[in-house]
Amino acid sequence: MRTFRILFMLAWRNLWRNHRRTLIMLAAIGVGIWAMIFMTALTQGMVNEMIKDGISALPGEVQVHNPAYLDDPNINNLIATPDSELEKKFTGAGLVQWATRIKVPAVITSERESRGVTLLGIDPQRELGMTFIDLDNIDGRFLEDAADNAVVIGRKLATTLETEVGKRIVLMSQDPDNEIADRGFRVVGLFGASQESFEETYVFAGKETLQKLLKIGDHVTEVVVSGGDYRNVEPVFEKVSALVDEDLQVSRWTDLDSYLGTMLKVMDGFVLVWVIVIFLALSFGLVNTLVMAVFERVREIGLMLALGMRPSSILGQIVIESMLLLFLGMFIGNVLAWLTIIPLQGGIDISIVAEGMEMMGASSVLVPQLRLQDVILANCVVLVLGFLASLSPAWRASRYEPIEAITKAN
Amino acid sequence: MTIAVKCIELCKTYRQGDTDIKALDHLSIDVETGGFVCLSSPSGGGKTTLLNAIGGLDKPDSGEVWVSGQRIDQLGKAALADLRLREIGFVFQAYNLIPVLSARENVEFVMQVQGVSTDERRQKSQAILEEVGLKGLEDRRPAQMSGGQQQRVAVARAVVSRPALVLADEPTANLDSKTSDALMDLFSELNERHQTTFIIATHDRRVMAHVPRLIKMLDGRIVDDIAQTPV
């Protein structure tokens, strides 16, 4: 510690002996850090959209089912606990949002076309904020309550069925006795979604209306629960597991949609690889700068060793110089990243490639997501690997024989 | 009288191409504490090699080197660094100063590495800079000073922490005669006032005339050891 001040002062002043080289290196580190953070934010934004869209179609990060339902989602695999009892258990349990639903396969028929769909019986009040439907972007109206006798279908499906708001369609499914359960409904609303596949697949009806149609009394097929943070699902999972009977299956969204879960892991890994690849490119410049700085100062290093500075202090001086360079570059890079990401929080319109993005489950507006842990990761990678990269020239400098170093100059 | 430096049967051979050059050839020497000694020889006579061996900057092939009662030719790098830091002041022929530090900071450098407090450093560096005639130039960097001024800063740095021994290798090589005389007067004064042992390697006859003991070397051996009255 006693020599740290002199080492720091020497490192700082030596850094500015060659202004141009230091500024170029700072620019390289700054741009490198910026690229790491900015690209990570874009990637995370895209992944976030894809996963949020995916989860909104489930919906919820945690779901409860009859154990047989996930393999065979038919009306016989209901949750045994009555809906009213589930309501009692979940109300006041401290969950951010939850809803009970009926979700069964069905056929929808207009006067011109028929299609296979997923029929959802919901309580609209409970679904607010959980569904992928933008309630401000509905032609007509959404369902008013669980006993609403109308249906809301997607715009794409309406086009396919050649139907529209105000017209009637027929929904057909099976009841628990394997009898056909069907009835006519009036289409009261057409919803839009970020993905056309949602508009084609889902049909919304009142939960109580479907319970009557399917003759399932006070039962539902699933409970959907949202904790608000899809990355931190475990607390919600544990809370829900404690609430429901042991014979029910509680699943995380990563279990329900393994593609999305895997994608999240892959993208987290990709971010780390990306950060390391950029650093490797940077490290050549960093090591070169330090090697040059050491090479130019062989005489001085020899002199300092001759005057009684320990080899470890010489090593420390070069490492401090490298750290100063990295810290300054990191500061520049972080500020640049912040300055470029914050103004883009409204989203970047990527509709020119939206069709391709939609195939991947992403929307056409990309919102960069600046996450603290990604910023920390990028900075830590640069700091740790930068430290390791600086050890070689620093070690080399510390191993000089003082008299050889001084003589080399003379 | 105690012995500050003792060398016993020192040998050092360098290889230059296919030729072996004996820089030190079974050389033995004693220098008493407070001694003021000049080593002189033609180029390649071994004076710088001897100085480097005494300063722990170079290891002899055989023989023993003792400084302040401690055998140093078997010490490791860190221990030698500590010995140089505490016991020895160096003045080199050229390139004596650290270019990014001011005159004051150069003088304080050794003390700072020794862990001397800021106030004490400041007080000592100011006093020695005044003593070597550099008052008012404390904040100049080496590039802003003449060769003579730089050499005086180097001398100030070498003696400021009161080392037992000062080793100077051709300290006047880059100086004019007037500055050389002034530098030698300074050495003499410091030697007398602080009983610091000086060993100076030089070709310069004016420097040789300044010292009470002149050791002449040739091909790595001492050929003459003269006690004289300094001019």
Side-chain angles (χ1 to χ4, degrees), chain A residues 2-3 5-6 9-10 13-14 17 299-300 303-311 399-403 406, chain B residues 52 57 77-78 81-82 84-86 90 92 95-101 105 109 112-115 141 157:
Chain A
R2 69 181 189 191
T3 51
R5 282 177 66 183
I6 183 79
M9 183 170 73
L10 285 167
R13 292 192 187 171
N14 280 321
R17 276 166 93 163
R299 295 181 299 183
E300 272 167 69
L303 177 67
M304 287 189 278
L305 288 167
L307 292 177
M309 188 171 258
R310 285 184 167 212
R399 302 319 295 166
Y400 283 133
E401 288 297 333
I403 198 63
I406 294 172
Chain B
N52 291 339
L57 296 173
K77 279 188 171 185
D82 283 347
R84 290 194 294 266
L85 183 67
R86 310 265 167 211
F90 286 95
F92 298 102
Y95 207 80
N96 263 314
L97 305 178
I98 298 167
V100 291
L101 300 182
E105 289 164 344
F109 178 80
Q112 198 161 358
V113 179
Q114 285 175 339
R141 292 221 178 156
R157 183 188 58 203

Side-chain angles (χ1 to χ4, degrees), chain A residues 55-296:
Chain A
I55 292 174
S56 70
L58 290 171
E61 291 97 49
V62 172
Q63 294 190 357
V64 182
H65 296 100
N66 178 314
Y69 179 85
L70 291 176
D71 287 334
D72 182 13
N74 81 51
I75 196 67
N76 286 306
N77 294 326
L78 293 164
I79 292 177
T81 314
D83 191 14
S84 50
E85 207 172 305
L86 289 170
E87 285 268 345
K88 280 181 199 162
K89 282 185 175 180
F90 279 79
T91 304
L95 296 163
V96 175
Q97 210 161 14
W98 62 274
T100 55
R101 296 176 138 206
I102 298 162
K103 186 176 180 182
V104 289
V107 172
I108 186 168
T109 306
S110 69
E111 65 270 38
R112 293 182 186 276
E113 294 285 345
S114 294
R115 281 289 181 276
V117 292
T118 298
L119 179 57
L120 296 166
I122 62 166
D123 178 346
Q125 300 309 314
R126 285 231 170 271
E127 293 279 331
L128 292 175
M130 288 183 81
T131 176
F132 54 82
I133 295 176
D134 177 4
L135 294 179
D136 295 329
N137 184 22
I138 285 189
D139 300 336
R141 68 167 175 87
F142 195 59
L143 301 174
E144 286 171 344
D145 54 45
D148 200 319
N149 278 318
V151 291
V152 175
I153 65 174
R155 289 196 184 107
K156 179 77 176 172
L157 182 61
T159 307
T160 306
L161 295 175
E162 296 182 39
T163 188
E164 59 190 32
V165 173
K167 288 199 170 179
R168 288 183 73 85
I169 48 88
V170 174
L171 278 169
M172 186 170 68
S173 189
Q174 283 194 6
D175 66 20
D177 299 324
N178 295 325
E179 296 296 331
I180 294 294
D182 61 348
R183 63 162 278 192
F185 288 87
R186 191 168 301 283
V187 177
V188 293
L190 303 180
F191 66 82
S194 59
Q195 295 181 50
E196 280 192 348
S197 60
F198 294 176
E199 292 182 17
E200 278 182 309
T201 308
Y202 294 106
V203 172
F204 290 87
K207 182 173 69 179
E208 290 174 15
T209 306
L210 283 195
Q211 282 171 336
K212 281 180 199 161
L213 171 69
L214 299 172
K215 299 177 187 136
I216 55 174
D218 185 27
H219 287 278
V220 292
T221 61
E222 64 187 20
V223 185
V224 295
V225 184
S226 175
D229 181 5
Y230 66 80
R231 282 181 178 272
N232 187 24
V233 75
E234 220 48 38
V236 181
F237 176 81
E238 283 168 16
K239 199 176 273 186
V240 172
S241 297
L243 274 179
V244 299
D245 297 339
E246 281 182 7
D247 60 347
L248 292 178
Q249 182 175 348
V250 183
S251 313
R252 303 168 187 85
W253 67 270
T254 46
D255 307 321
L256 294 165
D257 193 333
S258 54
Y259 166 72
L260 280 179
T262 306
M263 189 174 68
L264 183 65
K265 285 180 190 162
V266 168
M267 284 301 181
D268 282 349
F270 170 78
V271 164
L272 183 63
V273 171
W274 165 252
V275 165
I276 290 175
V277 165
I278 294 186
F279 178 80
L280 287 178
L282 263 184
S283 65
F284 288 105
L286 178 67
V287 171
N288 184 52
T289 300
L290 291 174
V291 167
M292 285 304 296
V294 168
F295 186 71
E296 285 171 357

Side-chain angles (χ1 to χ4, degrees), chain B residues 10 17 19 45 48 66 76 80 85 115 119 147 166 171-172 178 191 206 228:
Chain B
L10 288 188
T19 316
T48 298
W66 294 75
L80 279 174
L85 183 67
D119 288 346
V166 173
T172 59
K178 192 178 163 191
N191 170 251
R206 300 167 72 91
Q228 61 183 22

Side-chain angles (χ1 to χ4, degrees), chain A residues 30-73:
Chain A
V31 170
I33 299 262
W34 169 81
M36 288 177 191
I37 297 173
F38 189 76
M39 286 303 294
T40 302
L42 286 184
T43 306
Q44 294 291 9
M46 191 176 78
V47 171
N48 193 41
E49 282 300 314
M50 289 160 79
I51 289 174
K52 272 167 49 183
D53 272 4
I55 292 174
S56 70
L58 290 171
E61 291 97 49
V62 172
Q63 294 190 357
V64 182
H65 296 100
N66 178 314
Y69 179 85
L70 291 176
D71 287 334
D72 182 13

